[in-house]
Structure formats: structure tokens, C-alpha cells
Amino acid sequence: GMAFHVDGDPSPNPVVHVTSGEHVRFVLRNEATGFEHDLAIPALGLALTPTAAGETRAASIRVPAVPGSFPYVCRPHAQMMRGTLVVADR
């Protein structure tokens, strides 16, 4: 099925760990022929525009200073493509 993957981690829709206050760059590379995907972390105001097969989009954010868990999702395929961004304290 459709899923997010992180380079070097074979598990689908992995938990992504970051540290509070750091700058993080998200890169969405769509390798799914015939489907558009996006990446959104609504609680952090991140929303990449839909990406066609073979395209790449990127965005950088500063991670919030407050630790917590934030869902990430592909909005068109939210039932299958979703995971959690975990912010740890420094």
C-alpha cells in the first residue's frame, strides 16, 4: 500500500524523532506512478503542495520549543499515509 518512508528506515510511516528548536528539512519525493501526494503537519503549519509522480518538494521548519507529538499526513491518502513527528526536549 501507500506509505511514507524515511531514507534508511524500511518501516512504513515511521515515527520521526526531532529535537526542540532545531531546523528540519522535509523532502517529499513521489515515486508512486499515477498518484499525487503531499505532506502536511497541520499543528506546525507545514503543508507541501501536491506532488506528481517523479517530482520532489521540500520545506524547512524550526521545530517548536515545546516537546510533544504531532501527526503528519498525506492529505489525499490520510487513511494509509500518516505517522507521528515526536519532538524531544534538548
Side-chain angles (χ1 to χ4, degrees):
M2 290 185 256
F4 285 107
H5 292 276
V6 174
D7 287 343
D9 184 347
S11 60
N13 303 318
V15 174
V16 177
H17 296 274
V18 296
T19 303
S20 63
E22 75 177 316
H23 286 274
V24 176
R25 184 170 185 245
F26 294 93
V27 178
L28 175 63
R29 186 176 58 240
N30 184 353
E31 297 177 353
T33 304
F35 293 96
E36 282 194 342
H37 295 292
D38 70 6
L39 170 66
I41 308 174
L44 302 183
L46 176 71
L48 294 177
T49 58
T51 305
E55 291 185 341
T56 300
R57 301 241 191 276
S60 297
I61 63 167
R62 172 167 236 141
V63 177
V66 178
S69 295
F70 304 92
Y72 67 82
V73 64
C74 171
R75 292 171 292 183
H77 307 105
Q79 294 301 314
M80 296 175 279
M81 297 180 69
R82 59 184 327 135
T84 304
L85 177 78
V86 175
V87 177
D89 207 4
R90 287 186 192 208

